[in-house]
Structures are given as C-alpha cells and as structure tokens.
Amino acid sequence: MSSRRITGPGFRYSLVHSWQVGQNMELFRRHFRFAKVEGGPGGAAGSAGLWPSGADEEELRWQPEEFSLPEVLPAGIRRKTGRKNSNLRYQGLGKVGTCSQLDKKAMVLHRKRRLRLAGQQQGGYTEHDLRFRLWYEEPKYPERLVLLALLDVSGSMEEDAKQIARLFYWHLLSLTERIFWQVEPVFIIHHTEAVEVSRGRFFTKSSGGGTKFSPVYRLAWEIINARYLQDPSPVALFHLSDGYNIAHDQKESQSWLMKLCQVCRLVCYGEVGGRQQNLKTYGDSFQEWSHPALMHFQIEDQTQVSSALNALLPQILAHMERD
Amino acid sequence: MRRLQADHLILKIAQDLGLDGYRVVVERRSLDALYRLAAAQFPGRFHHRRFDSTGGRLMAGDYFAHHRLYELITYTDPCRAFIWEGCHPGEELLLVAHVIAHSDFFKHNFCFREVPPPPVELFSRHNEEIQAYVDEYGYRKVREYIDAELALQNLCHGGMPPEPNLDLLGLLIDHNPRLNAWQKRVLEIIREESLYLRPQKETRILNEGWAVFWQKRILPECGLTEAETIAAVKLHARLTMPLGGRLNPYLVGCRLLEHIAGELGMEKLFSIRAGENDYSLVRKFLTEELLQELDLFVYKEQAAQLIGPREDPAMVKKVLLSHLENGGYPVIRIEDTDFAGEGKLYLKHVYNGLELDHQTAVDTLGHIARIWGRPVLLETVLEGKNCLLQDNISL
C-alpha cells in the first residue's frame, strides 16, 4: 500500500466524454463555456451550438486579450511583451534586499571604508557590508476611479441605439474593473431632465421625450462638486447620445461641458446609432472647439462596440495615469 | 416549549394528511457540525480524511455559491434529523415538515424496505471496532486500507434477488484467502454501511420531491404568523429554484409528483411512493411536455454539443435514465475471478451510453488490486472504442 493518493469516489462517469443532464438552458448558456475543441464549437455544432447567432455571438466571444489592456501577468512574461502596469523607480541602496539586487561594487567599497575607519589593514566581509539596490514599484494607475455614465434615453434614441449604449457601458465597466481596484460608477439618465438612477435601472430603463444636454451636464457637475471635489481619485465622464440636442441649448450645454472638462480627468462624448442625412449633430460642434480632457467618438452599430472600445481604451488609460 | 409544541403540531397534521413514518428526533446543530455530518453521512461514523475534504467542499459551496445545507436526515430507527440552528422559526417549521415527509418515505418505499433501518448506535459501534484495529495495527495501515475500500463502496449489491455478479465487496470478503481477519471485518463494515446509503442514492428525485410536495401542504395548516410564513415560503422557493444549469432534484421531483397528483389522484401518488424509484418514476411519468416545462437538456462537453428538450426529447430522457440507473453509479459486473488461470480478476463495465472517467477508473482498479492481491482487468468503452484497462500497481 505505497500510494498515498486519495482518488475520487470510485468508478464514475466522465464529465467530459459522456453526456450530462442539465436544467435551465438559459442559465447554463450564460455561465458555462465549453473548453476549446478542434474545429471550434461555433461552426461544428450548428443549430445545436451554444451561442446564439448574429451580433450577439460576436459580443459574447469577446476576450479581454483582444483589448489593449495593461498586462496582469507574471514578471517574466511581462518583460518579454514589454507592456507593464507599473513603473519601477530606483530608490538608492539599502541593507536588506534580494540576492539578485546585490550591488557588489558598493559592497567592496563599504568594506574598505569600514576597515579604514577602524584603522585595520585587512579583514573579511561581514553582513554589514551587504548593499542592495532598492526599487520601488509604482502603480501606473490610481487605485480608484469615479466613472460617471450619462445616457440619453429620449424618444429620438432608437431601441438599437440604446442597446449599443448599454453594451458599451456594460463592457466599459467590466474592463475598467479589471484595471482599477475600485470603480465607483454614477449612473445618470436624461431626456430633457436628468436623474441619477441605480445600475439595474440604468441598464433597463427606456424612456421618451425630447433631448436637452445642459440639465444632465449640470447634474453631473453638481454631483462631482458635492461628492468628489475632495477626492484624489480621478473622475471620468462618459456621455452617450444620438447627438440631436435641442438647437437653443447648444451654447448653454457647451459652457457646462467646458466646466466639466475642468473638474474631470476625462470627458468622453459618444454618438451612437446611424446618422440621418443633412442633420447636424452635437458632435459636429467639436470641430470648432477642443480641450485636452475632451474626447469624442462614434459608434454606428452593435458590431462596432468592440472595436470602438479597443481604440478608446489606450487613450482613456493614458488620461488616467498617475502624475 | 414553543418549538416542541410546533413539532408535535406538524406531526399531527402530517398524520391527518396520511403520512406515517418512523419516529423523528429533531436536533439543532451549528452549520459547521452539519457539514461534518453531511460529509460522513451518518452521525458517529468512523472518521476518515476523505470526509474532511467533502465537508470542506460543501462549506465552500455555502460560502461561494450560497448552496446552504439546512437539514439532514439519517436513515436509522428512529430517524435523526439535524436542522441548522440559525434558521428563522418559520424556516424551521418548514424543515420539520420536510423531514417528517422523508421519514414517511423511508418507511414505505420498497428500496428502503429491502434494507431495514439500522439502530442509531450501529455506526458508533463500528467506529469503536475500527478504533480498536487502529490501536492494534497502527493508524496508517488501517487508514490506507480504508482509503482503498471507500473507493469501492458503491460496488456492492444487497437487494433481492441477490446478484453475486454485481457484489464486488462481497466477493472480496468471501473469496479472498489473502485477507487477514481484521481486514475482512473492516470490509464488512464498509459494505454494511454503504448498503444503508444505497436506497437514498436510488431515490433522490422521488424522496426529495415527496418531501417538498408535502411540506407545501403541511405548512398552511400550521397557523403560522406572517413573518414565519414569509421566511418559510422564501426557503421553499429557494429549494425549488432552477439551479445554474444543473438538475435540481427538489424541483423535478416535486413537479413530477404534482403532475401525478393532478392527473391520477392521491391514491396513485401513495402507491408510487411505495413502489417506484427514480429510474422507474422518470421512465413512466416524465412526459415530453414536462421535459419542456422543466427545461431539461443534455450536453457533451468533449463534442461541444447541446441538445434541448424541444430538439430531441427522446435523447434527453434516455440520457437522464442512464444517469439514474443503479443510483447514478456505473454498473460493474464480475466476469471471471481466475482469468487466464492466473488468479486475475476480470470485471466488465455494463455500458449504457455513458463512458467512465479514465483516470479514476484506473486508480480504482489499483485499489481493488491492492485488496485482491492479483492484477485486475476492466473491460469498458473509452471514446467510442472497446478497451481493456489494467490496474496501475501490478503493471
């Protein structure tokens, strides 16, 4: 009886090679992913495949590797790929450290000086002669991010556009949560009036009515002033809309946006859904003025959400780096 | 005092509704103790490190996945039921109703009748015996021997008519001249204890369904306060909630019994309690509509295939049935005890469409070979091909 290994409970059916019974297909699809097999599950399985067809399939297949995220990998691999999540700073020499950081030259010099001060001609090394190079690993990004998510739910936003916006925010939140220790989202929806809502309501609410930007910018500005002015963590503001703001509101909303640019690290304005011909949108006005903290982008349909995020993320992260 | 009265009240209501089980002794335990009990299956059973790891796994399930264990009932006479002491009073009443229905099932179902319930102190008696062997022969020797035997505990058969071809543990006890007396005795203990567990494995859906079916009917009669009702109903809903992809025996069993009670009446229900097990219940009463309503499906990870209840209901039912066969364990038949004239043990896996896990199969063969003392062979099907496995220690 040499083997000390405890195996499982005797003969049992293979979980991989034999058929299994499940219940509640919807939940199963959401939580379970088959391991990769030759040929791939999508094509081979056909109608019995796990993933629904069309744009959703694309969305579900997203892997964080596709995005230009900072690497969270072991040091060796990180060095090879050259991307890193923190900066190293040289802090001088210390008496305690790892062998790899032992500074031999400093050690020799220290022994010499010690002997000279003691008036001795010769003597061996002691542990007091050891000198190590000290490095401080400084995280590139702050620990906490305040993310203001503004969403236009007015009648002019079509259901498709709303869906794009929700998808965008959903992935934006999950991606930023990978980089920052803590992401504090503030959800605001608006038509002609703005209101702060919960996460659940934000992702489900569908409203109607006209579109006016100044109230929502004003509310965001008030929230930042009330809650995050004393807070050292950076504030990022995102606003997704179809861009058809009421004409007489252009000036006022622009001045509010200017104010927001001064209190936020990043203000990102996005237009979603297809554009109607011959109609000017709010985004067109950014040709006339700009601000280093201001970015704008456009997403036309659901398949572009991933590529838009991919293009945006490095820029967003560049804004968020520590000073 | 209030608790005691409530328990009696529930018992009275259950008897009025036609339930008549063994006496139930209800005890309140901490969560920690509950998981330890659940891992060892019987109170007072001998300690083994595998029980520790099972208990840890259960506790992790509680902590990470919110699969809390609320009650536990042992098949003994009288039945001992353990309920989590942190329950809300309403939840506690629901659980008492639940265990009373279980004890009724224990008394009447044919699977349990084949193995009459053991006296409560049987397991501690076995424990004392094993402790005596530990004192005499050393902890390590006995423990390693039990390691091997626990891997085989499902390979026994005690029902009627007796089938010596399926009773591997019985064979190892009776026809193995290489074993010492104490080794034989430990084997006997393990075989006896696993025979008591067997009917519970074979009637999981029916047993849990029966308990849920009755707790739902007993509770409104108890005159609960509003807060108690809410707590109890919440717990009931949690029990019968569809899990994240796995089959929920509470939900499936309860729905099947509700269907039968609605279509065929209560008398039929009572006869089903007495005369069916999971396999026959599902085979006879799980219709296509129920299959779709319960949203049962089958999947094969290796082929990344998934078949829903609408696409191929016959296939779903077939796979479900093969999983319920023999209490969910593969059927292993003894073909030859002196294969090729060299004293080799030749086993055959009765293939029902489900393949064995290769690694654990080889390891288990090693355990059998340790007890048998000669090489052990197993004929089975792996990845669609017939093959013969040999244990990993005599090679």
Side-chain angles (χ1 to χ4, degrees):
Chain A
M1 299 208 186
S2 56
S3 167
R4 301 200 49 181
R5 204 167 132 218
I6 303 186
T7 52
F11 292 116
R12 59 163 188 249
Y13 295 126
S14 164
L15 294 172
V16 180
H17 292 281
S18 61
W19 287 96
Q20 300 290 317
V21 184
Q23 193 175 10
N24 200 342
M25 208 137 84
E26 212 41 57
L27 262 177
F28 180 82
R29 279 211 169 111
R30 215 178 301 157
H31 294 304
F32 191 90
R33 277 182 181 215
F34 284 138
K36 263 194 179 164
V37 288
E38 304 86 62
S47 61
L50 268 187
W51 305 119
S53 58
D56 288 346
E57 189 171 358
E58 276 306 305
E59 305 302 339
L60 285 167
R61 284 242 186 93
W62 284 6
Q63 290 293 318
E65 291 81 53
E66 289 176 22
F67 298 100
S68 341
L69 288 180
E71 299 276 321
V72 190
L73 288 173
I77 302 171
R78 205 163 62 203
R79 216 170 294 130
K80 264 185 208 162
T81 51
R83 287 193 281 179
K84 49 190 178 174
N85 207 3
S86 55
N87 294 321
L88 281 180
R89 256 191 208 173
Y90 182 58
Q91 294 284 89
L93 293 169
K95 291 186 178 178
V96 186
T98 58
C99 281
S100 63
Q101 295 302 326
L102 182 66
D103 190 336
K104 287 183 194 129
K105 189 178 168 191
M107 194 172 76
V108 171
L109 291 175
H110 253 273
R111 171 178 158 269
K112 269 191 174 175
R113 195 207 286 168
R114 182 170 55 80
L115 292 176
R116 197 174 62 236
L117 287 175
Q120 293 171 348
Q121 284 301 314
Q122 53 190 6
Y125 289 97
T126 70
E127 58 182 280
H128 301 292
D129 298 328
L130 296 177
R131 286 295 176 276
F132 298 92
R133 287 183 286 267
L134 299 184
W135 296 92
Y136 171 62
E137 198 168 358
E138 187 185 49
K140 223 169 169 181
Y141 306 106
E143 286 179 356
R144 187 163 165 276
L145 171 73
V146 178
L147 200 151
L148 275 83
L150 318 187
L151 177 60
D152 181 0
V153 290
S154 63
S156 60
M157 282 277 277
E158 285 162 15
E159 198 44 52
D160 191 35
K162 280 176 192 159
Q163 193 58 30
I164 296 171
R166 285 183 203 127
L167 258 176
F168 178 85
Y169 276 133
W170 184 265
H171 288 292
L172 180 72
L173 279 170
S174 60
L175 291 171
T176 45
E177 274 161 8
R178 279 168 180 271
I179 300 159
F180 299 92
W181 279 99
Q182 195 192 351
V183 177
E184 186 175 326
V186 177
F187 299 107
I188 303 174
I189 55 175
H190 77 99
H191 36 88
T192 51
E193 283 160 15
V195 57
E196 189 185 347
V197 293
S198 67
R199 180 190 280 253
R201 212 167 147 69
F202 182 80
F203 282 107
T204 52
K205 181 73 181 163
S206 177
S207 185
T211 316
K212 206 172 168 186
F213 285 0
S214 56
V216 63
Y217 291 154
R218 188 199 166 105
L219 178 64
W221 194 77
E222 282 169 5
I223 286 176
I224 293 170
N225 269 309
R227 296 183 208 164
Y228 305 115
L229 215 55
Q230 304 295 327
D231 199 329
S233 41
V235 180
L237 182 140
F238 287 81
H239 182 205
L240 256 62
S241 163
D242 56 355
Y244 299 118
N245 191 12
I246 284 181
H248 64 73
D249 186 47
Q250 295 290 23
K251 280 229 163 120
E252 202 189 339
S253 59
Q254 254 182 35
S255 69
W256 275 113
L257 202 56
M258 291 265 216
K259 276 188 182 177
L260 281 172
C261 285
Q262 282 155 14
V263 289
C264 296
R265 194 72 82 81
L266 172 71
V267 175
C268 210
Y269 170 82
E271 275 177 11
V272 291
R275 283 184 66 149
Q276 291 173 28
Q277 295 288 315
N278 311 325
L279 270 179
K280 262 200 155 185
T281 62
Y282 190 73
D284 295 338
S285 68
F286 291 131
Q287 289 168 359
E288 295 152 24
W289 70 283
S290 70
H291 189 278
L294 184 74
M295 280 165 55
H296 64 101
F297 61 93
Q298 194 157 15
I299 304 175
E300 277 172 13
D301 64 70
Q302 286 193 23
T303 52
Q304 289 180 10
V305 177
S306 116
S307 52
L309 266 171
N310 202 2
L312 275 174
L313 266 169
Q315 301 182 44
I316 296 172
L317 290 177
H319 276 94
M320 292 303 142
E321 274 180 31
R322 278 167 192 262
D323 306 321
Chain B
M1 202 55 214
R2 159 104 171 77
R3 267 179 179 169
L4 210 62
Q5 282 171 358
D7 292 359
H8 279 293
L9 177 71
I10 290 174
L11 190 62
K12 180 87 184 19
I13 295 165
Q15 281 167 353
D16 289 347
L17 287 169
L19 300 186
D20 150 48
Y22 295 112
R23 200 158 64 82
V24 185
V25 182
V26 180
E27 294 164 52
R28 274 86 187 167
R29 288 291 160 92
S30 72
L31 213 52
D32 212 36
L34 213 57
Y35 283 121
R36 250 180 286 130
L37 273 169
Q41 311 263 20
F42 287 109
R45 200 181 182 194
F46 63 89
H47 175 260
H48 187 266
R49 51 188 177 160
R50 179 178 295 163
F51 301 157
D52 285 348
S53 70
T54 314
R57 219 174 37 241
L58 288 170
M59 212 173 274
D62 184 348
Y63 189 84
F64 293 112
H66 306 289
H67 295 154
R68 176 149 298 171
L69 186 72
Y70 279 89
E71 54 74 36
L72 189 82
I73 184 164
T74 60
Y75 177 53
T76 47
D77 189 14
C79 292
R80 285 179 82 183
F82 301 94
I83 290 180
W84 178 38
E85 63 188 4
C87 282
H88 189 277
E91 291 177 336
E92 216 171 84
L93 295 177
L94 184 85
L95 294 171
V96 170
H98 187 93
V99 294
I100 285 174
H102 270 318
S103 91
D104 167 76
F105 188 84
F106 287 161
K107 190 166 176 181
H108 295 280
N109 188 266
F110 82 102
C111 294
F112 288 90
R113 291 201 138 193
E114 285 177 356
V115 203
V120 175
E121 68 278 6
L122 179 83
F123 299 97
S124 39
R125 231 168 36 219
H126 284 168
N127 184 22
E128 277 163 23
E129 247 176 279
I130 289 180
Q131 279 307 317
Y133 293 133
V134 168
D135 292 343
E136 200 173 337
Y137 301 101
Y139 172 70
R140 196 169 156 186
K141 213 169 170 187
V142 177
R143 188 198 64 194
E144 284 184 349
Y145 189 66
I146 292 177
D147 278 356
E149 286 169 358
L150 280 179
L152 315 181
Q153 63 173 341
N154 302 315
L155 301 172
C156 57
H157 193 276
M160 295 302 284
E163 288 196 42
N165 277 345
L166 297 178
D167 193 357
L168 182 68
L169 278 178
L171 175 87
L172 292 177
I173 295 167
D174 296 338
H175 302 283
N176 191 355
R178 301 170 191 90
L179 287 188
N180 304 328
W182 73 269
Q183 287 175 324
K184 269 189 188 170
R185 180 61 196 141
V186 175
L187 260 180
E188 273 168 20
I189 289 174
I190 303 250
R191 178 169 181 271
E192 197 182 344
E193 290 185 356
S194 56
L195 282 180
Y196 291 120
L197 286 174
R198 186 141 193 107
Q200 299 189 37
K201 301 259 157 71
E202 280 176 359
T203 55
R204 190 150 160 68
I205 291 178
L206 187 55
N207 198 349
E208 297 298 358
W210 182 257
V212 172
F213 180 87
W214 283 107
Q215 76 184 28
K216 205 166 141 187
R217 277 156 185 77
I218 291 172
L219 219 65
E221 316 277 324
C222 299
L224 301 187
T225 65
E226 197 173 319
E228 284 173 342
T229 312
I230 289 172
V233 168
K234 260 183 163 169
L235 181 59
H236 180 86
R238 244 177 105 171
L239 276 179
T240 53
M241 143 182 108
L243 301 173
R246 282 186 296 119
L247 183 142
N248 181 353
Y250 295 85
L251 173 61
V252 174
C254 180
R255 185 68 196 89
L256 268 171
L257 294 180
E258 295 276 3
H259 175 76
I260 292 161
E263 300 264 311
L264 305 166
M266 291 304 265
E267 271 175 35
K268 181 73 184 164
L269 200 69
F270 277 93
S271 78
I272 281 168
R273 163 198 61 170
E276 309 282 352
N277 61 12
D278 277 359
Y279 183 85
S280 60
L281 177 82
V282 166
R283 187 170 60 83
K284 288 179 194 164
F285 299 103
L286 191 69
T287 58
E288 244 175 68
E289 293 80 50
L290 275 176
L291 212 61
Q292 286 177 13
E293 192 193 315
L294 290 166
D295 198 10
L296 294 171
F297 61 92
V298 292
Y299 63 94
K300 192 174 189 178
E301 191 170 335
Q302 184 248 341
Q305 263 182 298
L306 188 144
I307 295 178
R310 270 164 235 283
E311 288 161 52
D312 193 352
M315 169 78 179
V316 177
K317 194 166 166 178
K318 193 184 131 218
V319 174
L320 178 57
L321 281 176
S322 25
H323 270 284
L324 294 176
E325 214 176 319
N326 192 32
Y329 297 111
V331 182
I332 307 288
R333 183 178 282 280
I334 302 161
E335 293 283 297
D336 196 348
T337 55
D338 188 17
F339 183 67
E342 296 167 3
K344 288 182 182 175
L345 186 62
Y346 191 94
L347 306 173
K348 187 179 180 184
H349 166 219
V350 183
Y351 182 65
N352 58 353
L354 301 175
E355 291 183 6
L356 292 184
D357 185 42
H358 181 232
Q359 192 54 49
T360 52
V362 173
D363 289 342
T364 314
L365 287 177
H367 285 314
I368 300 173
R370 270 183 210 115
I371 301 173
W372 182 247
R374 298 286 306 149
V376 181
L377 302 167
L378 175 74
E379 186 187 329
T380 180
V381 177
L382 284 182
E383 298 184 26
K385 289 181 209 94
N386 275 327
C387 69
L388 195 62
L389 297 178
Q390 191 174 350
D391 62 279
N392 52 5
I393 63 158
S394 55
L395 273 173

